[in-house]
Amino acid sequence: MGDAKSRDEKWVEGSGNVFADLGFANADDLAIETELLRRIIAIIRARKLSQRAAARVLGIDQPKVCALMNGKTRGYSISRMIRFLAALDQDVEIRIRPKPRSRSRAVVRVAA
């Protein structure tokens, strides 16, 4: 029974942006916000900062840090999240280059 179902399933390779794959109009922005937030949270956790200490570093109040730690980015622009990373002693580099001819569409992403 399980074998029949697996034979009928069709797999589609993702684009690398789950938001685009799901049809969001602002997929690039959402992917960038998500990755910036993921890194902000990872740094706060790695440094074992309390929400109060993180709030001091980021220049926001503790309830806003709580919202960030819970994945809520509403009200935070990409540029503000970049400033949060800088406040957390991270260099942030934006690089612009021509897309390869092999790709039909340019991509926007946060690279390691």
Side-chain angles (χ1 to χ4, degrees), residues 22-75:
L22 292 172
F24 285 86
N26 57 342
D28 286 339
D29 289 346
L30 290 169
I32 291 169
E33 289 172 10
T34 300
E35 184 59 19
L36 294 174
L37 179 61
R38 186 188 71 74
R39 293 186 187 207
I40 290 166
I41 291 170
I43 293 162
I44 291 170
R45 287 183 177 156
R47 293 186 184 175
K48 298 182 176 154
L49 295 174
S50 67
Q51 288 184 5
R52 185 171 290 152
R56 280 192 299 273
V57 170
L58 300 178
I60 59 177
D61 59 26
Q62 179 275 325
K64 290 180 181 174
V65 172
C66 180
L68 281 174
M69 298 300 287
N70 286 303
K72 296 184 172 97
T73 60
R74 186 175 301 276

